[in-house]
Amino acid sequence: MNESNSSAKVPFNQQKKASLTYIIVVTIIAAIGGSLFGYDQGVISGALNFFSVHFSMSTAEIGFVSGVLAFGAMAGCLIAGFLSDQIGRKWVMFIAGALFTISSLTLAFAGTVAILITGRILSGIAIGMASTIVPLYISEVAPAKIRGTLIGCNQLAFAIGMTTVYCVNAAIANLNSTAFNVSVGWRWMFGSGAIPAILFFVLTVIIPESPRFLFKQGKNDKAEAILVKLNGTSNAQNEATEIKKSVQSEHKGLIRELFAPGIRFALVIALLAAAFQQLTGTIAVGYYAPIIFQKTGVGVNASLIETIGIGVVKIIFVAIFMVYIDKLGRKKLLSRGGYAMAAALIFLAVVFAFNKFNTLIDILILVGVLAHTAFYELSWGGGAWIIVSEVFPTSIRGRALSLSSLTMFLASYFVSQLFPVMLAGIGGTWTFIIFAIFCIAMGWFASHVLPETTGKSLEQIESEFKTKKA
């Protein structure tokens, strides 16, 4: 299509202002994928104690069923990145919704450990796809001035999904006998995830494709019409011009593009941000919170109820994060968040050093875990996803973001596998000190290395990065 007359074909004058309602609806639908990420990741914390007894599983089998999700997620990241640059962002979300539904039902009706593992792998693939594509999609449809807030919706949805499944787990565990939970209760925990999965699967059909992907495909008329709804007439015209220039200047090929001047710097920033998010220790706390609380002697069902407190804190502080991420900026929140998490982990290390568990120690551990969770959600929880979704050019954003997500899940796997071993081997004190050291390092990284991207269009960020070297 001839670029010179493309704007004339688009009814720019039909709408003068951006439709905030339209932007919010599109973001909420996409963010349901984030809630499924949280739901499927959190469900294991309640179901684990029951299906492990049902199948008479060994410690090694329990660890594998818990950790295999990460392998599926790694594969899902790569699949999502490739497909999103080939068939579009929205259709990858559609496929992820289908996989979330299938995996929930597979786990609910699993008759053997092998089928249980298969369901966890499918769930992992869906998680990997959703975690890659949802922040990417939101970053590409969001107006620059509120992009951080809107991408934060994905983290809020994640927290809501995880809190919801904590509540479901606790309700099933406490309203039924242990025998019932060992027999079928854990199946209801897994099966409940099919409800939001089907909702996501259906609703992704009605949202628009990313205008940046459409420009990349040469579908300028459609892209510009969507931009008008998202940004308003004047902003849409300016952004359309920037995106066209960016797409025209991009080279073909992922490897060639990743090592182009400036993109190398973006790659280093994205991979470090992805790894650091997991080295905060949050995945360990999230997966093993019931085990940590059981260690204090509060019991299985009580520990499940305490994990709900973690979920509530997540929701509250993600909401605060969304308010301030576009006001205070990425650097300030991520830097302060790193140091604050380190302080919370050092507090936990001191508490565990007493090596006595009673009501007071249980309360102090809960305070430390909740403080760490709050600081994480105020900073690196959503901040890392924002950074990795902003720094790459349109032509390779899907595949490059998949590498960042892959790094995130690889780090997540090692942390989730090593945490219980560290907790048992070197004790809680040194375990939390090690994670505190990582948090101090990421605080320094955010303040001294991370560029500020707040309020800039994706094309402006790309242009600025091209002047930097890794």
Side-chain angles (χ1 to χ4, degrees), residues 86-122:
Q86 299 298 316
I87 65 174
R89 299 7 178 170
K90 67 173 286 184
W91 295 116
V92 175
M93 289 190 283
F94 179 81
I95 295 170
L99 287 175
F100 274 122
T101 305
I102 294 170
S103 66
S104 294
L105 296 176
T106 299
L107 288 164
F109 291 100
T112 64
V113 174
I115 296 176
L116 195 69
I117 291 171
T118 300
R120 289 285 285 170
I121 292 173
L122 290 175

PDB file of all heavy atoms in Angstrom, residues 86-122:
ATOM      1  N   GLN A  86       4.510 -13.862  13.931  1.00  0.00           N
ATOM      2  CA  GLN A  86       4.038 -14.474  12.692  1.00  0.00           C
ATOM      3  C   GLN A  86       2.531 -14.297  12.479  1.00  0.00           C
ATOM      4  O   GLN A  86       2.094 -13.886  11.399  1.00  0.00           O
ATOM      5  CB  GLN A  86       4.386 -15.978  12.686  1.00  0.00           C
ATOM      6  CG  GLN A  86       5.871 -16.289  12.764  1.00  0.00           C
ATOM      7  CD  GLN A  86       6.639 -15.746  11.579  1.00  0.00           C
ATOM      8  OE1 GLN A  86       6.207 -15.859  10.432  1.00  0.00           O
ATOM      9  NE2 GLN A  86       7.794 -15.133  11.843  1.00  0.00           N
ATOM     10  N   ILE A  87       1.742 -14.625  13.503  1.00  0.00           N
ATOM     11  CA  ILE A  87       0.287 -14.598  13.347  1.00  0.00           C
ATOM     12  C   ILE A  87      -0.371 -13.469  14.136  1.00  0.00           C
ATOM     13  O   ILE A  87      -1.573 -13.249  14.004  1.00  0.00           O
ATOM     14  CB  ILE A  87      -0.351 -15.948  13.756  1.00  0.00           C
ATOM     15  CG1 ILE A  87      -0.135 -16.209  15.261  1.00  0.00           C
ATOM     16  CG2 ILE A  87       0.233 -17.085  12.929  1.00  0.00           C
ATOM     17  CD1 ILE A  87      -0.862 -17.450  15.767  1.00  0.00           C
ATOM     18  N   GLY A  88       0.388 -12.777  14.982  1.00  0.00           N
ATOM     19  CA  GLY A  88      -0.174 -11.667  15.729  1.00  0.00           C
ATOM     20  C   GLY A  88      -0.278 -11.928  17.212  1.00  0.00           C
ATOM     21  O   GLY A  88      -0.221 -13.071  17.670  1.00  0.00           O
ATOM     22  N   ARG A  89      -0.431 -10.839  17.964  1.00  0.00           N
ATOM     23  CA  ARG A  89      -0.439 -10.928  19.424  1.00  0.00           C
ATOM     24  C   ARG A  89      -1.742 -11.540  19.960  1.00  0.00           C
ATOM     25  O   ARG A  89      -1.731 -12.395  20.852  1.00  0.00           O
ATOM     26  CB  ARG A  89      -0.277  -9.553  20.049  1.00  0.00           C
ATOM     27  CG  ARG A  89       0.944  -8.714  19.818  1.00  0.00           C
ATOM     28  CD  ARG A  89       1.991  -9.077  18.879  1.00  0.00           C
ATOM     29  NE  ARG A  89       3.040  -8.045  18.815  1.00  0.00           N
ATOM     30  CZ  ARG A  89       4.186  -8.214  18.194  1.00  0.00           C
ATOM     31  NH1 ARG A  89       4.450  -9.338  17.556  1.00  0.00           N
ATOM     32  NH2 ARG A  89       5.095  -7.243  18.185  1.00  0.00           N
ATOM     33  N   LYS A  90      -2.884 -11.107  19.438  1.00  0.00           N
ATOM     34  CA  LYS A  90      -4.162 -11.535  20.010  1.00  0.00           C
ATOM     35  C   LYS A  90      -4.408 -13.038  19.823  1.00  0.00           C
ATOM     36  O   LYS A  90      -4.991 -13.687  20.678  1.00  0.00           O
ATOM     37  CB  LYS A  90      -5.332 -10.724  19.431  1.00  0.00           C
ATOM     38  CG  LYS A  90      -5.625 -10.956  17.959  1.00  0.00           C
ATOM     39  CD  LYS A  90      -6.895 -10.236  17.529  1.00  0.00           C
ATOM     40  CE  LYS A  90      -8.125 -10.928  18.043  1.00  0.00           C
ATOM     41  NZ  LYS A  90      -9.384 -10.311  17.579  1.00  0.00           N
ATOM     42  N   TRP A  91      -3.938 -13.591  18.699  1.00  0.00           N
ATOM     43  CA  TRP A  91      -4.196 -15.007  18.457  1.00  0.00           C
ATOM     44  C   TRP A  91      -3.326 -15.901  19.324  1.00  0.00           C
ATOM     45  O   TRP A  91      -3.686 -17.036  19.639  1.00  0.00           O
ATOM     46  CB  TRP A  91      -4.033 -15.335  16.976  1.00  0.00           C
ATOM     47  CG  TRP A  91      -5.063 -14.616  16.166  1.00  0.00           C
ATOM     48  CD1 TRP A  91      -4.869 -13.650  15.226  1.00  0.00           C
ATOM     49  CD2 TRP A  91      -6.495 -14.778  16.267  1.00  0.00           C
ATOM     50  NE1 TRP A  91      -6.077 -13.197  14.738  1.00  0.00           N
ATOM     51  CE2 TRP A  91      -7.085 -13.865  15.348  1.00  0.00           C
ATOM     52  CE3 TRP A  91      -7.332 -15.591  17.033  1.00  0.00           C
ATOM     53  CZ2 TRP A  91      -8.469 -13.762  15.191  1.00  0.00           C
ATOM     54  CZ3 TRP A  91      -8.710 -15.485  16.874  1.00  0.00           C
ATOM     55  CH2 TRP A  91      -9.254 -14.578  15.961  1.00  0.00           C
ATOM     56  N   VAL A  92      -2.181 -15.399  19.747  1.00  0.00           N
ATOM     57  CA  VAL A  92      -1.371 -16.149  20.712  1.00  0.00           C
ATOM     58  C   VAL A  92      -2.090 -16.196  22.061  1.00  0.00           C
ATOM     59  O   VAL A  92      -2.083 -17.220  22.747  1.00  0.00           O
ATOM     60  CB  VAL A  92       0.033 -15.525  20.851  1.00  0.00           C
ATOM     61  CG1 VAL A  92       0.822 -16.224  21.949  1.00  0.00           C
ATOM     62  CG2 VAL A  92       0.789 -15.615  19.529  1.00  0.00           C
ATOM     63  N   MET A  93      -2.725 -15.086  22.450  1.00  0.00           N
ATOM     64  CA  MET A  93      -3.515 -15.086  23.679  1.00  0.00           C
ATOM     65  C   MET A  93      -4.691 -16.062  23.566  1.00  0.00           C
ATOM     66  O   MET A  93      -5.039 -16.748  24.532  1.00  0.00           O
ATOM     67  CB  MET A  93      -4.011 -13.668  23.991  1.00  0.00           C
ATOM     68  CG  MET A  93      -2.914 -12.726  24.450  1.00  0.00           C
ATOM     69  SD  MET A  93      -3.529 -11.138  25.105  1.00  0.00           S
ATOM     70  CE  MET A  93      -3.944 -10.301  23.576  1.00  0.00           C
ATOM     71  N   PHE A  94      -5.292 -16.134  22.390  1.00  0.00           N
ATOM     72  CA  PHE A  94      -6.397 -17.060  22.143  1.00  0.00           C
ATOM     73  C   PHE A  94      -5.935 -18.509  22.348  1.00  0.00           C
ATOM     74  O   PHE A  94      -6.607 -19.309  23.018  1.00  0.00           O
ATOM     75  CB  PHE A  94      -6.907 -16.850  20.714  1.00  0.00           C
ATOM     76  CG  PHE A  94      -8.035 -17.758  20.317  1.00  0.00           C
ATOM     77  CD1 PHE A  94      -9.335 -17.483  20.690  1.00  0.00           C
ATOM     78  CD2 PHE A  94      -7.793 -18.889  19.557  1.00  0.00           C
ATOM     79  CE1 PHE A  94     -10.380 -18.322  20.315  1.00  0.00           C
ATOM     80  CE2 PHE A  94      -8.825 -19.736  19.175  1.00  0.00           C
ATOM     81  CZ  PHE A  94     -10.122 -19.453  19.561  1.00  0.00           C
ATOM     82  N   ILE A  95      -4.773 -18.844  21.793  1.00  0.00           N
ATOM     83  CA  ILE A  95      -4.225 -20.195  21.943  1.00  0.00           C
ATOM     84  C   ILE A  95      -3.887 -20.479  23.401  1.00  0.00           C
ATOM     85  O   ILE A  95      -4.146 -21.581  23.915  1.00  0.00           O
ATOM     86  CB  ILE A  95      -2.973 -20.363  21.053  1.00  0.00           C
ATOM     87  CG1 ILE A  95      -3.357 -20.274  19.577  1.00  0.00           C
ATOM     88  CG2 ILE A  95      -2.275 -21.693  21.334  1.00  0.00           C
ATOM     89  CD1 ILE A  95      -2.178 -20.197  18.628  1.00  0.00           C
ATOM     90  N   ALA A  96      -3.326 -19.496  24.084  1.00  0.00           N
ATOM     91  CA  ALA A  96      -3.000 -19.666  25.504  1.00  0.00           C
ATOM     92  C   ALA A  96      -4.257 -19.950  26.316  1.00  0.00           C
ATOM     93  O   ALA A  96      -4.251 -20.796  27.220  1.00  0.00           O
ATOM     94  CB  ALA A  96      -2.297 -18.418  26.034  1.00  0.00           C
ATOM     95  N   GLY A  97      -5.355 -19.250  26.001  1.00  0.00           N
ATOM     96  CA  GLY A  97      -6.620 -19.490  26.699  1.00  0.00           C
ATOM     97  C   GLY A  97      -7.101 -20.916  26.523  1.00  0.00           C
ATOM     98  O   GLY A  97      -7.600 -21.545  27.467  1.00  0.00           O
ATOM     99  N   ALA A  98      -6.950 -21.440  25.313  1.00  0.00           N
ATOM    100  CA  ALA A  98      -7.344 -22.829  25.044  1.00  0.00           C
ATOM    101  C   ALA A  98      -6.495 -23.798  25.853  1.00  0.00           C
ATOM    102  O   ALA A  98      -7.011 -24.768  26.432  1.00  0.00           O
ATOM    103  CB  ALA A  98      -7.212 -23.117  23.553  1.00  0.00           C
ATOM    104  N   LEU A  99      -5.197 -23.535  25.922  1.00  0.00           N
ATOM    105  CA  LEU A  99      -4.289 -24.414  26.673  1.00  0.00           C
ATOM    106  C   LEU A  99      -4.553 -24.345  28.175  1.00  0.00           C
ATOM    107  O   LEU A  99      -4.462 -25.360  28.870  1.00  0.00           O
ATOM    108  CB  LEU A  99      -2.838 -24.055  26.375  1.00  0.00           C
ATOM    109  CG  LEU A  99      -2.313 -24.465  24.995  1.00  0.00           C
ATOM    110  CD1 LEU A  99      -0.895 -23.943  24.784  1.00  0.00           C
ATOM    111  CD2 LEU A  99      -2.344 -25.978  24.849  1.00  0.00           C
ATOM    112  N   PHE A 100      -4.881 -23.159  28.689  1.00  0.00           N
ATOM    113  CA  PHE A 100      -5.235 -23.037  30.104  1.00  0.00           C
ATOM    114  C   PHE A 100      -6.448 -23.917  30.423  1.00  0.00           C
ATOM    115  O   PHE A 100      -6.483 -24.599  31.452  1.00  0.00           O
ATOM    116  CB  PHE A 100      -5.558 -21.590  30.460  1.00  0.00           C
ATOM    117  CG  PHE A 100      -4.371 -20.745  30.835  1.00  0.00           C
ATOM    118  CD1 PHE A 100      -4.076 -19.585  30.131  1.00  0.00           C
ATOM    119  CD2 PHE A 100      -3.560 -21.101  31.901  1.00  0.00           C
ATOM    120  CE1 PHE A 100      -2.989 -18.800  30.479  1.00  0.00           C
ATOM    121  CE2 PHE A 100      -2.467 -20.325  32.260  1.00  0.00           C
ATOM    122  CZ  PHE A 100      -2.172 -19.165  31.550  1.00  0.00           C
ATOM    123  N   THR A 101      -7.438 -23.895  29.537  1.00  0.00           N
ATOM    124  CA  THR A 101      -8.651 -24.694  29.744  1.00  0.00           C
ATOM    125  C   THR A 101      -8.345 -26.179  29.730  1.00  0.00           C
ATOM    126  O   THR A 101      -8.755 -26.934  30.626  1.00  0.00           O
ATOM    127  CB  THR A 101      -9.689 -24.368  28.649  1.00  0.00           C
ATOM    128  OG1 THR A 101      -9.947 -22.963  28.633  1.00  0.00           O
ATOM    129  CG2 THR A 101     -10.983 -25.118  28.902  1.00  0.00           C
ATOM    130  N   ILE A 102      -7.596 -26.625  28.723  1.00  0.00           N
ATOM    131  CA  ILE A 102      -7.258 -28.045  28.578  1.00  0.00           C
ATOM    132  C   ILE A 102      -6.430 -28.531  29.762  1.00  0.00           C
ATOM    133  O   ILE A 102      -6.671 -29.616  30.301  1.00  0.00           O
ATOM    134  CB  ILE A 102      -6.500 -28.273  27.250  1.00  0.00           C
ATOM    135  CG1 ILE A 102      -7.426 -27.990  26.060  1.00  0.00           C
ATOM    136  CG2 ILE A 102      -5.958 -29.708  27.174  1.00  0.00           C
ATOM    137  CD1 ILE A 102      -6.706 -27.948  24.724  1.00  0.00           C
ATOM    138  N   SER A 103      -5.455 -27.714  30.182  1.00  0.00           N
ATOM    139  CA  SER A 103      -4.577 -28.139  31.279  1.00  0.00           C
ATOM    140  C   SER A 103      -5.343 -28.255  32.597  1.00  0.00           C
ATOM    141  O   SER A 103      -5.106 -29.189  33.377  1.00  0.00           O
ATOM    142  CB  SER A 103      -3.403 -27.167  31.419  1.00  0.00           C
ATOM    143  OG  SER A 103      -3.845 -25.879  31.821  1.00  0.00           O
ATOM    144  N   SER A 104      -6.263 -27.325  32.863  1.00  0.00           N
ATOM    145  CA  SER A 104      -7.044 -27.382  34.103  1.00  0.00           C
ATOM    146  C   SER A 104      -7.875 -28.653  34.171  1.00  0.00           C
ATOM    147  O   SER A 104      -7.938 -29.325  35.210  1.00  0.00           O
ATOM    148  CB  SER A 104      -7.956 -26.153  34.206  1.00  0.00           C
ATOM    149  OG  SER A 104      -7.212 -24.973  34.356  1.00  0.00           O
ATOM    150  N   LEU A 105      -8.498 -29.008  33.057  1.00  0.00           N
ATOM    151  CA  LEU A 105      -9.326 -30.210  33.015  1.00  0.00           C
ATOM    152  C   LEU A 105      -8.479 -31.474  33.078  1.00  0.00           C
ATOM    153  O   LEU A 105      -8.873 -32.470  33.692  1.00  0.00           O
ATOM    154  CB  LEU A 105     -10.186 -30.202  31.747  1.00  0.00           C
ATOM    155  CG  LEU A 105     -11.217 -29.066  31.667  1.00  0.00           C
ATOM    156  CD1 LEU A 105     -11.948 -29.094  30.335  1.00  0.00           C
ATOM    157  CD2 LEU A 105     -12.207 -29.154  32.827  1.00  0.00           C
ATOM    158  N   THR A 106      -7.310 -31.440  32.439  1.00  0.00           N
ATOM    159  CA  THR A 106      -6.403 -32.593  32.492  1.00  0.00           C
ATOM    160  C   THR A 106      -5.958 -32.867  33.922  1.00  0.00           C
ATOM    161  O   THR A 106      -5.950 -34.018  34.375  1.00  0.00           O
ATOM    162  CB  THR A 106      -5.157 -32.341  31.610  1.00  0.00           C
ATOM    163  OG1 THR A 106      -5.565 -32.145  30.256  1.00  0.00           O
ATOM    164  CG2 THR A 106      -4.191 -33.520  31.673  1.00  0.00           C
ATOM    165  N   LEU A 107      -5.600 -31.828  34.645  1.00  0.00           N
ATOM    166  CA  LEU A 107      -5.172 -31.979  36.033  1.00  0.00           C
ATOM    167  C   LEU A 107      -6.321 -32.439  36.921  1.00  0.00           C
ATOM    168  O   LEU A 107      -6.136 -33.266  37.816  1.00  0.00           O
ATOM    169  CB  LEU A 107      -4.617 -30.652  36.549  1.00  0.00           C
ATOM    170  CG  LEU A 107      -3.258 -30.241  35.979  1.00  0.00           C
ATOM    171  CD1 LEU A 107      -2.986 -28.765  36.243  1.00  0.00           C
ATOM    172  CD2 LEU A 107      -2.147 -31.088  36.594  1.00  0.00           C
ATOM    173  N   ALA A 108      -7.505 -31.913  36.668  1.00  0.00           N
ATOM    174  CA  ALA A 108      -8.663 -32.269  37.488  1.00  0.00           C
ATOM    175  C   ALA A 108      -9.035 -33.744  37.354  1.00  0.00           C
ATOM    176  O   ALA A 108      -9.473 -34.371  38.325  1.00  0.00           O
ATOM    177  CB  ALA A 108      -9.857 -31.400  37.111  1.00  0.00           C
ATOM    178  N   PHE A 109      -8.847 -34.297  36.155  1.00  0.00           N
ATOM    179  CA  PHE A 109      -9.255 -35.686  35.921  1.00  0.00           C
ATOM    180  C   PHE A 109      -8.070 -36.650  35.850  1.00  0.00           C
ATOM    181  O   PHE A 109      -8.218 -37.790  35.415  1.00  0.00           O
ATOM    182  CB  PHE A 109     -10.059 -35.778  34.625  1.00  0.00           C
ATOM    183  CG  PHE A 109     -11.410 -35.118  34.706  1.00  0.00           C
ATOM    184  CD1 PHE A 109     -11.620 -33.850  34.184  1.00  0.00           C
ATOM    185  CD2 PHE A 109     -12.472 -35.757  35.342  1.00  0.00           C
ATOM    186  CE1 PHE A 109     -12.864 -33.230  34.269  1.00  0.00           C
ATOM    187  CE2 PHE A 109     -13.721 -35.148  35.439  1.00  0.00           C
ATOM    188  CZ  PHE A 109     -13.918 -33.882  34.906  1.00  0.00           C
ATOM    189  N   ALA A 110      -6.894 -36.197  36.290  1.00  0.00           N
ATOM    190  CA  ALA A 110      -5.695 -37.035  36.223  1.00  0.00           C
ATOM    191  C   ALA A 110      -5.880 -38.320  37.037  1.00  0.00           C
ATOM    192  O   ALA A 110      -6.254 -38.278  38.207  1.00  0.00           O
ATOM    193  CB  ALA A 110      -4.492 -36.258  36.739  1.00  0.00           C
ATOM    194  N   GLY A 111      -5.597 -39.459  36.387  1.00  0.00           N
ATOM    195  CA  GLY A 111      -5.716 -40.750  37.071  1.00  0.00           C
ATOM    196  C   GLY A 111      -4.385 -41.334  37.458  1.00  0.00           C
ATOM    197  O   GLY A 111      -4.322 -42.289  38.245  1.00  0.00           O
ATOM    198  N   THR A 112      -3.300 -40.769  36.904  1.00  0.00           N
ATOM    199  CA  THR A 112      -1.959 -41.249  37.207  1.00  0.00           C
ATOM    200  C   THR A 112      -1.019 -40.052  37.366  1.00  0.00           C
ATOM    201  O   THR A 112      -1.348 -38.933  36.971  1.00  0.00           O
ATOM    202  CB  THR A 112      -1.417 -42.151  36.082  1.00  0.00           C
ATOM    203  OG1 THR A 112      -1.276 -41.367  34.890  1.00  0.00           O
ATOM    204  CG2 THR A 112      -2.358 -43.329  35.816  1.00  0.00           C
ATOM    205  N   VAL A 113       0.147 -40.317  37.916  1.00  0.00           N
ATOM    206  CA  VAL A 113       1.150 -39.263  38.074  1.00  0.00           C
ATOM    207  C   VAL A 113       1.592 -38.760  36.710  1.00  0.00           C
ATOM    208  O   VAL A 113       1.849 -37.560  36.525  1.00  0.00           O
ATOM    209  CB  VAL A 113       2.359 -39.784  38.885  1.00  0.00           C
ATOM    210  CG1 VAL A 113       3.474 -38.740  38.914  1.00  0.00           C
ATOM    211  CG2 VAL A 113       1.943 -40.139  40.298  1.00  0.00           C
ATOM    212  N   ALA A 114       1.668 -39.672  35.725  1.00  0.00           N
ATOM    213  CA  ALA A 114       2.088 -39.285  34.370  1.00  0.00           C
ATOM    214  C   ALA A 114       1.125 -38.265  33.766  1.00  0.00           C
ATOM    215  O   ALA A 114       1.546 -37.280  33.144  1.00  0.00           O
ATOM    216  CB  ALA A 114       2.181 -40.517  33.481  1.00  0.00           C
ATOM    217  N   ILE A 115      -0.181 -38.478  33.954  1.00  0.00           N
ATOM    218  CA  ILE A 115      -1.172 -37.537  33.429  1.00  0.00           C
ATOM    219  C   ILE A 115      -1.097 -36.222  34.202  1.00  0.00           C
ATOM    220  O   ILE A 115      -1.249 -35.137  33.627  1.00  0.00           O
ATOM    221  CB  ILE A 115      -2.595 -38.143  33.507  1.00  0.00           C
ATOM    222  CG1 ILE A 115      -2.692 -39.367  32.599  1.00  0.00           C
ATOM    223  CG2 ILE A 115      -3.644 -37.105  33.103  1.00  0.00           C
ATOM    224  CD1 ILE A 115      -4.023 -40.090  32.670  1.00  0.00           C
ATOM    225  N   LEU A 116      -0.841 -36.317  35.503  1.00  0.00           N
ATOM    226  CA  LEU A 116      -0.675 -35.120  36.317  1.00  0.00           C
ATOM    227  C   LEU A 116       0.494 -34.279  35.803  1.00  0.00           C
ATOM    228  O   LEU A 116       0.384 -33.056  35.663  1.00  0.00           O
ATOM    229  CB  LEU A 116      -0.431 -35.517  37.775  1.00  0.00           C
ATOM    230  CG  LEU A 116      -0.585 -34.429  38.843  1.00  0.00           C
ATOM    231  CD1 LEU A 116      -2.044 -34.021  38.986  1.00  0.00           C
ATOM    232  CD2 LEU A 116      -0.059 -34.940  40.180  1.00  0.00           C
ATOM    233  N   ILE A 117       1.584 -34.942  35.477  1.00  0.00           N
ATOM    234  CA  ILE A 117       2.758 -34.249  34.943  1.00  0.00           C
ATOM    235  C   ILE A 117       2.435 -33.633  33.584  1.00  0.00           C
ATOM    236  O   ILE A 117       2.824 -32.495  33.297  1.00  0.00           O
ATOM    237  CB  ILE A 117       3.950 -35.223  34.829  1.00  0.00           C
ATOM    238  CG1 ILE A 117       4.445 -35.611  36.225  1.00  0.00           C
ATOM    239  CG2 ILE A 117       5.088 -34.598  34.023  1.00  0.00           C
ATOM    240  CD1 ILE A 117       5.479 -36.719  36.236  1.00  0.00           C
ATOM    241  N   THR A 118       1.695 -34.375  32.748  1.00  0.00           N
ATOM    242  CA  THR A 118       1.289 -33.847  31.439  1.00  0.00           C
ATOM    243  C   THR A 118       0.463 -32.576  31.595  1.00  0.00           C
ATOM    244  O   THR A 118       0.672 -31.588  30.879  1.00  0.00           O
ATOM    245  CB  THR A 118       0.466 -34.900  30.673  1.00  0.00           C
ATOM    246  OG1 THR A 118       1.253 -36.078  30.483  1.00  0.00           O
ATOM    247  CG2 THR A 118       0.029 -34.357  29.306  1.00  0.00           C
ATOM    248  N   GLY A 119      -0.472 -32.603  32.540  1.00  0.00           N
ATOM    249  CA  GLY A 119      -1.293 -31.424  32.792  1.00  0.00           C
ATOM    250  C   GLY A 119      -0.471 -30.248  33.265  1.00  0.00           C
ATOM    251  O   GLY A 119      -0.707 -29.103  32.860  1.00  0.00           O
ATOM    252  N   ARG A 120       0.521 -30.504  34.100  1.00  0.00           N
ATOM    253  CA  ARG A 120       1.393 -29.426  34.587  1.00  0.00           C
ATOM    254  C   ARG A 120       2.243 -28.848  33.452  1.00  0.00           C
ATOM    255  O   ARG A 120       2.493 -27.643  33.408  1.00  0.00           O
ATOM    256  CB  ARG A 120       2.302 -29.957  35.700  1.00  0.00           C
ATOM    257  CG  ARG A 120       1.581 -30.248  37.001  1.00  0.00           C
ATOM    258  CD  ARG A 120       1.225 -28.981  37.745  1.00  0.00           C
ATOM    259  NE  ARG A 120       2.394 -28.388  38.386  1.00  0.00           N
ATOM    260  CZ  ARG A 120       2.410 -27.193  38.940  1.00  0.00           C
ATOM    261  NH1 ARG A 120       1.333 -26.431  38.912  1.00  0.00           N
ATOM    262  NH2 ARG A 120       3.503 -26.718  39.519  1.00  0.00           N
ATOM    263  N   ILE A 121       2.682 -29.700  32.542  1.00  0.00           N
ATOM    264  CA  ILE A 121       3.465 -29.215  31.398  1.00  0.00           C
ATOM    265  C   ILE A 121       2.601 -28.324  30.512  1.00  0.00           C
ATOM    266  O   ILE A 121       3.031 -27.246  30.086  1.00  0.00           O
ATOM    267  CB  ILE A 121       4.044 -30.390  30.596  1.00  0.00           C
ATOM    268  CG1 ILE A 121       5.102 -31.131  31.417  1.00  0.00           C
ATOM    269  CG2 ILE A 121       4.648 -29.899  29.278  1.00  0.00           C
ATOM    270  CD1 ILE A 121       5.614 -32.400  30.770  1.00  0.00           C
ATOM    271  N   LEU A 122       1.365 -28.778  30.222  1.00  0.00           N
ATOM    272  CA  LEU A 122       0.444 -27.968  29.411  1.00  0.00           C
ATOM    273  C   LEU A 122       0.145 -26.639  30.104  1.00  0.00           C
ATOM    274  O   LEU A 122       0.093 -25.591  29.452  1.00  0.00           O
ATOM    275  CB  LEU A 122      -0.859 -28.745  29.168  1.00  0.00           C
ATOM    276  CG  LEU A 122      -0.780 -29.949  28.229  1.00  0.00           C
ATOM    277  CD1 LEU A 122      -2.117 -30.674  28.199  1.00  0.00           C
ATOM    278  CD2 LEU A 122      -0.384 -29.504  26.821  1.00  0.00           C
TER     279      LEU A 122
END
